Amino acid sequence: MRNQIHNKYREFLSMIENARNIVLVGHLNPDGDCIGAVTALKRYIKSKFEDKQVTITVPTPFPDFLTFLDPNSEILIHKNSPDAVRNKIEECDLMICMDLGKPSRTENMENLVRECAARKILIDHHLDPEDFTNLTFSFMEVSSTCEITYWLLTECSEGKPLEEDVMEGLCTGLLTDTNNFSNSLFPSTFLMASQLIETGFRIDRIQDLVLNSYSQDRMRLMGQMLLNNMVVFEDLNASLMILDLKTQKKFKYQTGDSEGFVNLPLKIAGVNISGLFTEQEEFIRVSLRSKEDISVNDLSKRYFNGGGHKNAAGGRLFMKIDQVAEYYEESVREYLKSLGTTFEEK
Ligand code: 5GP
Ligand code: MN
């Protein structure tokens, strides 16, 4: 990865140099990696190139715990301001898509992204990326988009340490996509962490901002989910959590409150697949995690209208919330059977 970045970073810099209006695009339901990457890149460009206009656009709002990366609410959210986003995209001469492998991950912005006549760059770590950009930094053997961006900006700075406020964003994605250094780990991941610490950067400060900033309601919702809304299918080594609208209302659910819940059942010995199903008005949002060789990317593509990474994927379902448990159980069983797993008949 770092060699390939080295071979392409000059082209990246010259595309930025030659642009005036740059739009950075993130994905639906932006997470820490997405918001961390776009805010860090915007800060980098603004400090190195004074004459550039840089606008961040995302399809839907992001969780409150990430507002420290956008203290002045500069990020344009398509769901809230569709016209402003359209105008910015139509007038831009460079678009940089981050943490999304295909334009469809921008949901209602998909056509704007596809039809945008500007030159395009992709910085991403998802499986099966679509070839829709002029310059692509797409690597899967890496923790996060923030890590790719770190190596890219380090090349651009010829090895000099990045500014503190750029590292802030990049560290956020490193922490959230690795689930605080517990998955998606590569040698380069720890090298990045090590280099950050070497500059005097306080990773523990970002850990506190990102990981220890729950609201009381969110903490109690987590207790409810574990106590009453989780089912373990022991024969399948799988677990299921359902976050229905009623529970959301009871605990004053806000975007991002369920961040990390899907990882919790994997702490149970023997559980290798975890599914979290969040009821929304139009569909059910699916979040899947797995251990080792089980690919929830494949599982999601086959049964849950989505995809992602091997051990972390998402998707959506169009059914009633009380049909989910049976559908999930049967889908996982069928999927495991297709891998050659055998079960005793129930
Ligand atoms: P999460 O469970 O955190 O929402 O998503 C896990 C991973 O799966 C993320 O990397 C995300 O980009 C990807 N993902 C989530 N939802 C979808 C989806 O609907 N389609 C695809 N292709 N990927 C998704
Ligand atoms: Mn990511």
Side-chain angles (χ1 to χ4, degrees):
M1 167 183 68
R2 292 177 62 195
N3 275 341
Q4 290 185 46
I5 289 177
H6 177 75
N7 293 336
K8 291 201 246 185
Y9 83 93
R10 284 187 199 87
E11 196 180 343
F12 173 75
L13 279 179
S14 89
M15 282 172 81
I16 292 177
E17 261 156 22
N18 291 325
R20 273 200 68 80
N21 294 311
I22 302 172
V23 168
L24 308 183
V25 179
H27 59 74
L28 183 76
N29 303 319
D31 57 3
D33 193 29
C34 174
I35 298 298
V38 289
T39 53
L41 183 57
K42 175 174 172 174
R43 289 167 178 186
Y44 179 86
I45 297 172
K46 291 298 271 185
S47 77
K48 295 284 180 261
F49 305 87
E50 277 159 16
D51 59 333
K52 309 298 175 200
Q53 262 226 30
V54 186
T55 310
I56 298 173
T57 64
V58 293
T60 50
F62 52 88
D64 275 351
F65 77 89
L66 294 170
T67 46
F68 76 99
L69 294 172
D70 182 36
N72 302 320
S73 306
E74 290 169 6
I75 295 180
L76 287 182
I77 299 168
H78 183 264
K79 192 171 181 196
N80 302 342
S81 340
D83 294 338
V85 169
R86 171 178 297 276
N87 290 341
K88 284 292 175 190
I89 290 184
E90 282 176 356
E91 72 189 24
C92 80
D93 49 11
L94 178 63
M95 171 180 277
I96 307 179
C97 295
M98 304 188 84
D99 202 34
L100 57 104
K102 26 185 98 112
S104 60
R105 291 284 295 136
T106 63
E107 191 80 11
N108 288 343
M109 288 169 59
E110 177 173 355
N111 287 340
L112 287 175
V113 171
R114 283 196 190 282
E115 286 158 20
C116 172
R119 305 197 75 202
K120 293 182 189 133
I121 298 174
L122 178 69
I123 305 178
D124 179 54
H125 68 134
H126 289 92
L127 296 168
D128 316 314
E130 189 177 319
D131 184 11
F132 70 103
T133 51
N134 305 87
L135 179 64
T136 304
F137 297 90
S138 165
F139 305 100
M140 280 118 235
E141 305 281 292
V142 63
S143 64
S144 54
T145 295
C146 279
E147 193 194 316
I148 302 174
T149 309
Y150 175 78
W151 295 117
L152 175 58
L153 297 185
T154 300
E155 282 288 349
C156 295
S157 312
E158 284 159 351
K160 282 197 285 296
L162 302 175
E163 285 173 33
E164 168 99 11
D165 66 347
V166 175
M167 290 193 277
E168 231 176 37
L170 299 180
C171 183
T172 299
L174 184 72
L175 293 175
T176 54
D177 264 25
T178 63
N179 190 18
N180 201 18
F181 298 110
S182 60
N183 54 251
S184 319
L185 298 170
F186 296 85
S188 59
T189 312
F190 287 108
L191 192 59
M192 170 178 168
S194 162
Q195 291 186 3
L196 290 186
I197 294 169
E198 224 167 7
T199 68
F201 185 81
R202 294 274 308 274
I203 292 185
D204 58 337
R205 187 174 67 83
I206 308 300
Q207 279 169 319
D208 217 41
L209 281 169
V210 171
L211 307 167
N212 305 333
S213 61
Y214 295 170
S215 68
Q216 202 182 127
D217 279 326
R218 191 243 201 230
M219 201 72 183
R220 292 188 192 282
L221 170 63
M222 187 150 92
Q224 162 78 17
M225 294 299 289
L226 291 173
L227 187 62
N228 295 321
N229 294 33
M230 180 177 77
V231 183
V232 176
F233 303 103
E234 285 180 15
D235 57 333
L236 302 176
N237 297 104
S239 75
L240 161 73
M241 284 204 283
I242 294 189
L243 178 48
D244 50 70
L245 287 171
K246 204 172 119 212
T247 308
Q248 291 173 35
K249 199 164 165 220
K250 185 166 171 198
F251 292 89
K252 303 187 196 74
Y253 177 81
Q254 306 210 335
T255 314
D257 275 357
S258 56
E259 197 85 14
F261 285 7
V262 66
N263 295 307
L264 296 173
L266 293 179
K267 292 180 188 287
I268 302 170
V271 172
N272 297 329
I273 306 178
S274 166
L276 168 69
F277 294 81
T278 307
E279 187 178 12
Q280 298 186 341
E281 294 301 339
E282 315 83 43
F283 56 83
I284 295 164
R285 198 173 145 205
V286 182
S287 206
L288 299 164
R289 297 292 183 275
S290 62
K291 285 187 184 163
E292 296 172 20
D293 279 344
I294 297 170
S295 166
V296 283
N297 176 55
D298 290 345
L299 182 69
S300 185
K301 278 209 269 194
R302 235 186 267 179
Y303 301 101
F304 299 103
N305 307 300
H309 313 279
K310 186 170 148 206
N311 295 130
R316 55 185 59 181
L317 275 182
F318 302 87
M319 57 175 62
K320 294 210 165 62
I321 195 76
D322 54 13
Q323 298 173 311
V324 166
E326 194 182 332
Y327 181 78
Y328 174 76
E329 186 180 0
E330 284 320 305
S331 304
V332 172
R333 189 180 305 279
E334 214 174 281
Y335 175 66
L336 292 175
K337 270 188 188 160
S338 78
L339 299 181
T341 315
T342 50
F343 302 96
E344 286 175 25
E345 284 306 319
K346 283 209 296 183

